[in-house]
Amino acid sequence: MPSYIHTVFNQLLLGRSEMVSFVDSLVAPLSIINAIIVALSLKKKDKLASNLEELENIWLEYEVYDDTKDAYNLSNQLDKCD
């Protein structure tokens, strides 16, 4: 039975795989998901680039990751050099 997410979308794509091993069970579904993400990314390249840039700035500002403080300071220093 699909998870709750199936109630949100008009279309649902299910990928099944025989569970011979843990790795084998995820290869086919993840390949399909990856192909869909790549196709959508290419189709909406400009919007995606601006959204990712905005997210990266937010992550830097709020230090979401441990190393973002250093990257944020470096980014600000580089901006001052211009």
Side-chain angles (χ1 to χ4, degrees):
M1 175 178 242
S3 66
Y4 167 77
I5 200 166
H6 79 280
T7 61
V8 179
F9 298 100
N10 294 330
Q11 303 275 332
L12 181 63
L13 178 62
L14 297 176
R16 291 188 178 193
S17 181
E18 296 297 322
M19 194 167 193
V20 176
S21 72
F22 178 76
V23 175
D24 292 338
S25 67
L26 299 176
V27 172
L30 289 179
S31 294
I32 293 170
I33 291 168
N34 187 55
I36 291 170
I37 291 170
V38 168
L40 289 173
S41 298
L42 291 173
K43 189 173 183 176
K44 298 186 177 269
K45 192 182 328 182
D46 296 334
K47 177 89 170 140
L48 178 66
S50 66
N51 285 349
L52 288 176
E53 187 174 331
E54 184 178 340
L55 277 175
E56 286 178 357
N57 289 332
I58 291 169
W59 294 336
L60 286 171
E61 183 179 348
Y62 291 98
E63 299 178 14
V64 173
Y65 298 102
D66 287 343
D67 61 344
T68 56
K69 185 175 183 180
D70 296 333
Y72 184 70
N73 290 334
L74 179 62
S75 175
N76 284 339
Q77 289 173 359
L78 291 174
D79 287 343
K80 291 176 185 175
C81 291
D82 291 340

